[in-house]
């Protein structure tokens, strides 16, 4: 019961964060359009898409994340970061007692600090395709990741 309430809180926070990413990207694009320089508008499209990508990814995978949460119970997993595998906001976590890693497409710095401190995340899954829902306790953060081979 408590985990379901916390996962609802985390999902609501993820929804707000995704809307914020998309709104910020649209605001940047609106400013560029307001300036009216065609070359700047064309050059800004990749930057705007990069800003909006986390929000778009969240809404495209939201239904699958909800299915994982409904299908699998939450369970704690001890993890540590895989050295040298950070690319931007993505993260690779080594699962203790397993030969597999978790790949998370987005893990902001404040969530990284919490995971480093506690060494634990809560996961629902994996399903037959290796997808997992991952959340932290103490910081309302939820994302969807994938189980990958080391």
């Amino acid at each position: 019961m408590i985990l379901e309430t916390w996962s609802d809180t985390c999902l609501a926070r993820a929804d707000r964060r995704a809307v914020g990413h998309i709104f910020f990207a649209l605001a940047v694009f609106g400013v560029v359009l307001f300036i009216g320089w065609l070359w700047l508008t064309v050059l800004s499209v990749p930057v705007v898409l990069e800003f909006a990508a986390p929000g778009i990814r969240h809404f495209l995978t939201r239904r699958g994340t909800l299915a994982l949460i409904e299908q699998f119970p939450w369970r704690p997993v001890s993890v540590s970061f895989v050295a040298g595998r950070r690319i931007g906001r993505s993260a690779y976590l080594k699962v203790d007692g397993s030969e597999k890693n978790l790949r998370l497409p987005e893990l902001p710095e404040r969530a990284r600090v919490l995971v480093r401190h506690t060494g634990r995340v809560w996961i629902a899954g994996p399903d037959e395709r290796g997808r997992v829902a991952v959340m932290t306790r103490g910081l309302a953060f939820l994302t969807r990741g994938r189980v990958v081979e080391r």
Side-chain angles (χ1 to χ4, degrees):
M1 176 68 176
I2 293 172
L3 283 177
E4 286 78 20
T5 304
W6 183 249
S7 65
D8 291 343
T9 301
C10 291
L11 189 61
R13 181 82 47 95
D15 290 344
R16 285 193 302 271
R17 190 174 57 250
V19 168
H21 280 283
I22 293 170
F23 180 76
F24 180 73
L26 291 176
V28 167
F29 194 66
V31 168
V32 170
L33 282 177
F34 181 73
I35 292 172
W37 295 337
L38 180 61
W39 65 271
L40 185 60
T41 304
V42 171
L43 291 177
S44 71
V45 170
V47 174
V48 167
L49 289 175
E50 182 68 24
F51 285 147
I56 294 169
R57 182 185 312 111
H58 170 75
F59 285 117
L60 289 176
T61 62
R62 189 177 192 283
R63 188 175 354 168
T65 302
L66 286 172
L68 283 168
I69 292 170
E70 291 171 1
Q71 185 177 1
F72 298 99
W74 288 106
R75 60 188 167 94
V77 176
S78 295
V79 295
S80 59
F81 285 93
V82 176
R85 294 290 305 251
R86 178 177 178 171
I87 302 171
R89 292 172 63 105
S90 67
Y92 285 84
L93 300 174
K94 180 173 65 171
V95 178
D96 292 346
S98 174
E99 292 297 318
K100 305 209 184 241
N101 290 337
L102 293 177
R103 184 186 66 198
L104 306 178
E106 181 176 352
L107 190 63
E109 191 59 36
R110 64 186 182 280
R112 287 176 191 275
V113 169
L114 180 68
V115 171
R116 275 190 204 100
H117 178 70
T118 62
R120 179 173 297 219
V121 294
W122 292 75
I123 66 170
D127 65 2
E128 65 279 351
R129 294 177 58 193
R131 296 175 298 198
V132 294
V134 179
M135 83 173 165
T136 58
R137 297 283 298 178
L139 172 71
F141 178 76
L142 179 115
T143 191
R144 196 163 97 183
R146 185 171 296 279
V147 174
V148 294
E149 298 292 326
R150 284 190 183 172

